[in-house]
């Protein structure tokens, strides 16, 4: 009930926004910053800013989630993404009492080798595209809440002679209840700009700024934890609406009455995820991303598009996670990711984070 009460104001706000002008993509750079940094996040739908536990790879999503339970933990993640793209993330977290909880990590994307050509179709040789970002952040406790910030140094090379540098900032807040069952998070992600454009003298483009809020709740008497995350809160409408398109007609020449777009516009902001906690050893996960499904499904059928699955294995000093996400129909539209965490500090906590 507490989770539902928290979501009601958020849903009402989205309803008020539904009539605003449409927003379309393609207006920013460094989109790889929005890729999920761990297999667990992949399995939960691709975005989560509210889960606060020992998982050190959540800090890049919301810096306020970094806490003493993560101290001394090394996280490694690798994804066989779409079209041969390779993506990975490595991070480490450490807490110093009286100062705060720190984390640092590097995420990278390699698009593989591609064949170049000029405007006349003449082959110019092979090239590769690579992007990476180094993120460092700190989190501190304050009256039951946590707040934190990440700073990012970003480099993107799309082809020889087309390289760009950028700088970014994340600002986050998080709360975890005294019973450790409920948690919530809010983050302003990817504030910043390009330091240099891809073409000398070219216009600098903005980063993929996003406001994300979420809640997670573990049922007291059931081994189930579920999360609801609201994404892209700075953009009311996440669908392109062509108001000049002619109306669709039925066989009698009458306009086809279209369903109200408001529910769809609202749910495009939400990502749903759940975890079954089977003892201390095994986790089964699932997620649903409505925006991904609506934008990537085929006209005739959707299949598993927008759905994700995964599992996790926990030990005293390690954790292994696997995540699967569907981006369309067919094997070429399925992404797989694996993550490994190692507790390098012998006394790593697995209890609720105390005040620092």
């Amino acid at each position: 009930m507490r989770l539902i009460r928290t979501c009601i104001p958020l849903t009402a706000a989205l309803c008020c926004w539904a009539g605003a002008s449409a927003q379309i993509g393609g207006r920013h750079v460094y989109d790889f910053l929005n890729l999920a940094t761990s297999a667990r996040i992949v399995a939960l739908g691709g975005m989560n800013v509210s889960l606060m536990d020992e998982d050190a790879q959540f800090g890049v999503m919301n810096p306020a989630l970094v806490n003493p339970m993560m101290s001394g933990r090394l996280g490694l993640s690798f994804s066989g993404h779409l079209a041969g793209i390779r993506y990975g993330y490595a991070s480490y977290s450490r807490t110093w009492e009286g100062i705060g909880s720190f984390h640092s990590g590097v995420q990278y994307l390699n698009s593989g080798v591609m064949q170049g050509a000029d405007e006349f179709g003449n082959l110019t040789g092979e090239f590769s595209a690579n992007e990476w970002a180094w993120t460092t952040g700190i989190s501190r406790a304050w009256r039951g809440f946590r707040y934190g910030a990440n700073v990012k140094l970003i480099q993107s090379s799309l082809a020889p002679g087309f390289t760009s540098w950028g700088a970014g900032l994340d600002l986050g807040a998080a709360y975890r209840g005294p019973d450790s069952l409920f948690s919530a998070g809010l983050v302003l992600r990817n504030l910043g700009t390009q330091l240099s454009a891809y073409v000398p003298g070219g216009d600098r483009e903005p980063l993929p700024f996003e406001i994300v809020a979420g809640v997670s709740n573990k049922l007291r008497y059931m081994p189930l934890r579920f999360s609801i995350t609201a994404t892209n809160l700075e953009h009311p409408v996440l669908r392109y609406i062509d108001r000049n398109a002619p109306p669709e007609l039925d066989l009698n020449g009458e306009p086809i009455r279209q369903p109200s777009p408001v529910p769809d516009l609202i749910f495009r902001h939400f990502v749903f995820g759940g975890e079954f906690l089977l003892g201390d050893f095994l986790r089964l996960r699932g997620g649903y991303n409505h925006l991904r499904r609506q934008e990537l499904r085929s006209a005739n059928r959707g299949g598993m598009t927008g759905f994700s699955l995964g599992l996790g294995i926990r030990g005293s000093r390690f954790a292994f996670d696997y995540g699967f996400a569907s981006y369309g129909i067919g094997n070429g539209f399925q992404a797989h990711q694996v993550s490994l965490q190692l507790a390098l500090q012998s006394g790593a906590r697995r209890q609720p984070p105390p005040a620092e």
Side-chain angles (χ1 to χ4, degrees):
M1 290 301 295
R2 175 168 43 184
L3 180 61
I4 295 174
R5 289 196 300 268
T6 304
C7 292
I8 287 175
L10 193 58
T11 303
L14 291 173
C15 288
C16 295
W17 287 345
S21 60
Q23 304 288 336
I24 58 176
R27 297 180 176 177
H28 49 248
V29 292
Y30 314 140
D31 267 320
F32 77 102
L33 295 174
N34 286 329
L35 290 175
T37 52
S38 77
R40 186 181 180 192
I41 296 174
V42 168
L44 293 174
M47 178 62 73
N48 191 295
V49 298
S50 56
L51 274 175
M52 188 186 299
D53 54 21
E54 72 277 4
D55 195 327
Q57 295 178 317
F58 274 65
V60 72
M61 289 291 175
N62 183 356
L65 297 180
V66 182
N67 64 82
M69 290 187 291
M70 299 178 180
S71 186
R73 297 184 77 88
L74 172 69
L76 303 170
S77 185
F78 177 79
S79 172
H81 208 57
L82 308 178
I85 294 173
R86 297 291 181 263
Y87 173 74
Y89 179 67
S91 68
Y92 179 74
S93 179
R94 190 65 184 267
T95 295
W96 281 275
E97 189 172 350
I99 301 177
S101 296
F102 293 81
H103 81 105
S104 186
V106 175
Q107 56 191 122
Y108 76 92
L109 183 144
N110 182 287
S111 299
V113 177
M114 295 168 281
Q115 177 64 57
D118 61 21
E119 63 270 28
F120 303 106
N122 300 313
L123 302 183
T124 59
E126 295 181 339
F127 69 97
S128 62
N130 302 276
E131 297 180 288
W132 60 264
W134 176 34
T135 301
T136 299
I138 181 175
S139 170
R140 289 182 56 85
W142 179 77
R143 296 185 178 181
F145 292 84
R146 298 194 70 85
Y147 61 95
N150 288 333
V151 292
K152 303 177 182 181
L153 178 65
I154 309 157
Q155 194 263 1
S156 174
S157 178
L158 301 183
F162 294 90
T163 298
S164 170
W165 288 85
L169 174 70
D170 301 333
L171 300 174
Y175 169 79
R176 179 167 173 162
D179 56 6
S180 302
L181 300 178
F182 175 82
S183 58
L186 171 68
V187 61
L188 281 65
R189 303 187 70 242
N190 300 322
L191 294 156
T193 186
Q194 282 183 300
L195 300 177
S196 62
Y198 287 102
V199 180
D203 294 334
R204 297 183 183 182
E205 301 174 78
L207 273 63
F209 172 70
E210 183 180 11
I211 301 176
V212 186
V215 291
S216 300
N217 195 60
K218 162 72 170 61
L219 301 183
R220 186 176 298 275
Y221 301 110
M222 291 184 63
L224 173 64
R225 180 193 294 120
F226 56 94
S227 302
I228 301 177
T229 306
T231 67
N232 296 284
L233 294 177
E234 76 288 355
H235 288 321
V237 178
L238 297 176
R239 184 177 72 170
Y240 176 71
I241 301 175
D242 186 358
R243 303 189 184 279
N244 297 318
E248 297 183 21
L249 305 178
D250 60 19
L251 296 178
N252 297 320
E254 297 294 331
I256 298 176
R257 186 173 182 179
Q258 300 293 335
S260 171
V262 173
D264 175 62
L265 292 177
I266 292 174
F267 279 100
R268 283 175 181 248
H269 286 271
F270 287 97
V271 176
F272 303 90
E275 290 184 297
F276 285 98
L277 315 177
L278 304 180
D280 293 331
F281 182 69
L282 183 63
R283 307 284 190 266
L284 299 180
R285 305 184 178 109
Y288 175 68
N289 188 315
H290 188 67
L291 175 62
R292 183 186 298 166
R293 180 173 180 83
Q294 293 299 90
E295 292 200 337
L296 300 180
R297 60 175 296 175
S298 67
N300 299 323
R301 59 194 180 104
M304 285 286 293
T305 306
F307 288 91
S308 54
L309 299 169
L311 62 85
I313 299 173
R314 292 287 185 270
S316 59
R317 300 289 300 276
F318 80 96
F320 171 82
D321 296 300
Y322 165 76
F324 158 85
S326 176
Y327 290 83
I329 304 296
N331 294 331
F333 297 95
Q334 317 304 317
H336 306 266
Q337 191 156 330
V338 294
S339 299
L340 178 66
Q341 288 191 66
L342 300 173
L344 304 183
Q345 186 178 340
S346 60
R349 300 182 181 97
R350 299 192 66 178
Q351 299 299 320
E356 294 154 2

